[in-house]
């Protein structure tokens, strides 16, 4: 039997005019995707890098210059993983909610899982970019990743074999993702997504809005900060945080905490 807080959350979900889903790495865990939480979590997924390179080392343009085959071993493996992963049941529950009202997705994930689950591309804001788009390291021109052959990766070393992705002028390509210490990210796609989201916020500024935050941690707080900003901009809004830990907003009347993993938390809130 659900407690009073869950009933209040479900009622707000049913009654709200618009829904904003904000998602971090924890959203993909129930689909079998790694969340790279700390170096230990990263090394669990990429054992050959243990005690050599951390996530911030690999997710860095400088790593491409110094170790191009390791860089593309890491990103090529992730691209293949994300391409072949089936979004978990929670995506479909969220989609059913979104079919009943206006919505927008804001995610720090680069995996394209929301689009794969059938959400409207025009209602998704990928704040860190997408692995499914490449950019040239010389001219910043963009390419769809599926234009290129699948990389062959030595999984004992996590090194990609030649040929690495190159543009028509034989320049090295990189994922169109905002990395650490990255001053060359081509953000044109995501600037447009942000503009669409800003218009959505203006449209619903005086409406009842529910924010569902799923699997967003504090180590890279981009999604947490977005949620805080939404609550500031829209007075009649609440945020439901689905996260098994890091629930530091206890006591704030605009925040509700569901101390569960993504899929379990979504199922608990499902009012349909």
């Amino acid at each position: 039997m659900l407690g009073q807080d869950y009933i209040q959350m479900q009622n707000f979900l049913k009654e709200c005019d618009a829904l904003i889903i904000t998602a971090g790495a924890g959203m993909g865990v129930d689909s079998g995707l790694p969340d790279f939480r700390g170096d230990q979590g990263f090394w669990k997924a990429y054992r050959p890098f243990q005690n050599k390179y951390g996530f911030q080392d690999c997710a860095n343009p400088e790593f491409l210059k110094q170790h191009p085959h390791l860089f593309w071993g890491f990103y090529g493996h992730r691209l293949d993983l994300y391409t072949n992963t089936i979004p978990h049941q929670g995506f479909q529950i969220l989609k059913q909610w979104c079919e009943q009202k206006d919505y927008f997705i804001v995610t720090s994930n680069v995996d394209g899982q929301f689009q794969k689950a059938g959400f409207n591309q025009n209602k998704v804001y990928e704040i860190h970019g997408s692995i499914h788009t490449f950019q040239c390291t010389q001219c910043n021109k963009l390419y769809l990743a599926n234009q290129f052959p699948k990389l062959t990766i030595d999984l004992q070393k996590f090194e990609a074999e030649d040929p690495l992705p190159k543009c028509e002028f034989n320049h090295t390509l990189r994922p169109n993702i905002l990395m650490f210490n990255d001053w060359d990210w081509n953000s044109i796609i995501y600037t447009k997504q942000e503009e669409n989201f800003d218009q959505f916020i203006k449209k619903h500024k005086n409406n009842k809005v529910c924010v569902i935050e799923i699997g967003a941690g504090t180590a890279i707080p981009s999604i947490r900060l977005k949620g805080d900003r939404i609550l500031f901009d829209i007075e009649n809004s609440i945020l439901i945080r689905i996260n098994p830990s890091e629930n530091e907003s206890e006591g704030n009347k605009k925040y509700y905490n569901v101390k569960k993993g993504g899929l379990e938390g979504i199922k608990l809130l499902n009012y349909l």
Side-chain angles (χ1 to χ4, degrees), residues 37 215-217 224 241-247 258-260:
R37 184 169 294 183
R224 292 285 184 110
R241 171 166 292 144
I242 302 175
N243 199 311
S245 60
E246 299 184 310
N247 296 290
V258 178
K259 297 180 181 180
K260 303 290 183 181

Side-chain angles (χ1 to χ4, degrees), residues 54-262:
F55 177 68
Q56 293 194 26
D57 298 316
C58 297
N60 195 308
E62 194 62 31
F63 196 67
L64 173 59
K65 295 177 185 178
Q66 296 179 1
H67 307 285
H69 292 87
L70 286 174
F71 177 93
W72 272 112
F74 171 53
Y75 276 108
H77 176 264
R78 288 177 69 190
L79 175 59
D80 187 54
L81 180 64
Y82 297 157
T83 300
N84 292 304
T85 294
I86 299 172
H88 61 72
Q89 181 190 358
F91 283 90
Q92 293 308 315
I93 296 173
L94 295 175
K95 193 163 176 284
Q96 289 173 353
W97 298 348
C98 291
E99 286 168 353
Q100 300 186 338
K101 56 195 73 195
D102 203 4
Y103 75 91
F104 218 97
I105 309 295
V106 183
T107 180
S108 59
N109 299 331
V110 301
D111 52 28
Q113 293 290 291
F114 280 99
Q115 293 92 324
K116 195 171 187 178
F119 288 84
N120 185 341
Q121 171 67 47
N122 294 324
K123 289 183 171 291
V124 179
Y125 173 23
E126 298 162 296
I127 65 175
H128 292 163
S130 172
I131 201 169
H132 300 288
T133 303
F134 293 166
Q135 75 177 71
C136 179
T137 54
Q138 298 297 314
C139 69
N140 282 338
K141 183 177 178 180
L142 300 177
Y143 300 85
L144 291 176
N146 61 14
Q147 293 178 237
F148 298 87
K150 178 182 174 181
L151 282 163
T152 300
I153 299 169
D154 180 342
L155 295 179
Q156 298 301 312
K157 301 177 181 177
F158 267 106
E159 284 189 356
E161 299 178 5
D162 287 322
L164 300 181
K166 300 285 183 72
C167 73
E168 64 264 46
F169 302 109
N170 205 38
H171 297 143
T172 301
L173 298 180
R174 51 162 279 185
N176 186 217
I177 292 171
L178 177 61
M179 304 181 198
F180 296 95
N181 301 318
D182 190 356
W183 312 110
D184 298 315
W185 180 47
N186 182 345
S187 63
I188 187 169
I189 294 173
Y190 317 105
T191 298
K192 177 59 179 174
Q193 292 177 349
E194 183 177 24
E195 290 171 358
N196 291 342
F197 180 60
D198 288 343
Q199 288 300 314
F200 179 90
I201 293 293
K202 289 177 183 176
K203 176 182 176 182
H204 292 287
K205 190 170 182 65
N206 297 312
N207 292 340
K208 192 172 186 177
V209 176
C210 185
V211 182
I212 308 291
E213 180 196 282
I214 308 165
T218 56
I220 302 175
S222 312
I223 289 297
R224 292 285 184 110
L225 294 174
K226 284 289 182 186
D228 291 342
R229 185 67 203 182
I230 294 165
L231 297 191
F232 180 81
D233 288 339
I234 302 177
E235 183 174 351
N236 193 11
S237 61
I238 68 164
L239 186 147
I240 300 173
R241 171 166 292 144
I242 302 175
N243 199 311
S245 60
E246 299 184 310
N247 296 290
E248 75 283 356
S249 298
E250 303 259 10
N252 188 318
K253 66 180 181 179
K254 297 196 78 171
Y255 292 84
Y256 288 81
N257 291 299
V258 178
K259 297 180 181 180
K260 303 290 183 181

